[in-house]
Amino acid sequence: MSENRSGGSAPTVLRMVLGKRLRQLREQAGVSFEDAARAIEVTPLTVRRIEKAEVGLRIPYVRELLRAYGVPAAEIDDFAAMAREANKPGWWYKYRDVLPEWFKAYVSLESEASVIRLYEPHYVPGLLQTPEYASALLRVGFPNESKEGLARRVDLRVRRQDLLAKPDAPVLWAILDETVLRRPVGGAEVMRAQLDRLVEALDVPKVRIQIMRFAVGAHPGAYGPFHHFRFGFSELPDVVYTENLAGSVYYDRPEDVVAYLEVLDRMSVQAEPVIRTREILAELRKEL
């Protein structure tokens, strides 16, 4: 997944896990890409794409590959059942008309993560936005969007927030630049409601919010936003997501992920402690 940019179909997390498992089984069996490709009568490139979750898991291919790797029949049936599940579209499929191709993988990662750590220097993260704040942002990002299309984009963003109410909700640890809280989005009333929403989020057991004050000055994350995902699957490594005007980049190489984690750790020390967040939000709200 390292440095994947916009374009192509977005894999589900389960498909990523199964793809990596197929690679492990192939390597353990000592089967080359070429031999695996011959087993299912495709090119070696197709086998690589299956393992990288860049294509769907065709069940006949999966079964033949597992046989070639010496996997017992009962385990093949279990694997095939998981592959069928992995091929099902996610809950966000019905929003495909307003969901950018490059962002589909993000929603999949977000939905399955056990820990989400992020730094946002510009805007409140989508998981913590009010509908009014989200609408104001999306109107700017999609100025030619119809009223109906804009409403669907807002609905998608709000629907993503259901994640935080689940029994197995991920830990959400957000570091917000002070700019995020001072930039007027949608007017004073919208901003007051948004600050209230952040205060409410502090009462959610697995949500932590820190604020990076202007007084800190230069800090290691000032160049742009990034999000770090950790999962409960041993087969799936941590993933870091960044975005720009043209699309997105996903990193999973250990050296890249570690670099971002070190920055997050340093920033968490520089930012105001979590116990100060409620007080700071109250002060900023009074200014509005």
Side-chain angles (χ1 to χ4, degrees):
M1 184 186 296
S2 295
E3 302 185 47
N4 278 358
R5 298 178 183 271
S6 57
S9 61
T12 66
V13 168
L14 181 55
R15 204 163 83 218
M16 296 176 197
V17 171
L18 295 181
K20 289 183 178 293
R21 183 58 180 152
L22 283 171
R23 185 193 67 192
Q24 292 169 352
L25 289 169
R26 178 181 57 77
E27 292 174 345
Q28 289 170 5
V31 177
S32 67
F33 280 117
E34 291 73 18
D35 289 340
R38 277 192 289 271
I40 56 176
E41 299 182 350
V42 297
T43 66
L45 177 60
T46 298
V47 176
R48 291 178 184 272
R49 297 188 69 196
I50 290 172
E51 293 182 356
K52 291 182 178 181
E54 294 176 352
V55 294
L57 292 168
R58 294 183 60 181
I59 305 304
Y61 284 0
V62 169
R63 287 185 175 278
E64 286 302 320
L65 287 174
L66 293 175
R67 290 190 189 100
Y69 304 157
V71 176
E75 294 182 24
I76 290 176
D77 290 340
D78 291 341
F79 199 107
M82 288 190 290
R84 290 190 188 91
E85 188 66 27
N87 287 332
K88 293 179 180 178
W91 64 262
W92 55 89
Y93 181 74
K94 70 175 184 177
Y95 295 100
R96 61 191 181 281
D97 58 319
V98 293
L99 184 60
E101 187 66 32
W102 53 267
F103 197 63
K104 292 178 183 177
Y106 179 96
V107 179
S108 178
L109 295 172
E110 179 183 76
S111 297
E112 297 295 339
S114 58
V115 179
I116 303 172
R117 295 182 65 184
L118 61 91
Y119 168 63
E120 280 289 349
H122 305 307
Y123 302 110
V124 173
L127 288 177
L128 299 174
Q129 292 176 8
T130 65
E132 294 76 18
Y133 184 97
S135 179
L137 277 182
L138 290 166
R139 277 199 301 271
V140 174
F142 301 90
N144 299 319
E145 183 68 274
S146 66
K147 183 178 180 180
E148 295 75 16
L150 181 64
R152 283 180 56 72
R153 292 182 187 277
V154 173
D155 188 49
L156 169 61
R157 188 157 298 185
V158 173
R159 175 75 187 280
R160 285 169 47 207
Q161 298 174 6
D162 292 346
L163 176 68
L164 299 180
K166 293 182 178 180
D168 59 345
V171 172
L172 176 63
W173 185 354
I175 300 177
L176 309 183
D177 195 274
E178 186 174 346
T179 304
V180 171
L181 308 174
R182 292 188 177 277
R183 175 175 282 113
V185 175
E189 184 176 351
V190 170
M191 286 303 299
R192 281 194 291 269
Q194 180 59 72
L195 292 178
D196 289 343
R197 170 72 180 92
L198 292 175
V199 171
E200 293 171 2
L202 293 172
D203 294 326
V204 178
K206 292 186 177 181
V207 173
R208 302 182 66 185
I209 302 173
Q210 290 184 266
I211 299 171
M212 184 71 75
R213 302 305 295 260
F214 291 147
V216 171
H219 60 81
Y223 51 84
F226 57 93
H227 298 194
H228 168 266
F229 299 98
R230 177 161 290 169
F231 307 92
F233 305 98
S234 60
E235 296 89 348
L236 194 62
D238 292 3
V239 176
V240 170
Y241 164 90
T242 65
E243 67 178 52
N244 51 55
L245 285 175
S248 59
V249 183
Y250 297 84
Y251 299 99
D252 66 356
R253 291 184 302 198
E255 60 269 30
D256 295 330
V257 172
V258 167
Y260 278 97
L261 276 177
E262 288 178 349
V263 168
L264 279 170
D265 287 341
R266 289 167 59 191
M267 291 173 63
S268 68
V269 174
Q270 291 177 285
E272 294 289 338
V274 175
I275 57 173
R276 285 267 296 136
T277 300
R278 194 182 301 270
E279 178 185 346
I280 295 171
L281 291 173
E283 292 173 357
L284 292 172
R285 193 185 189 286
K286 288 180 180 179
E287 295 181 15
L288 293 170

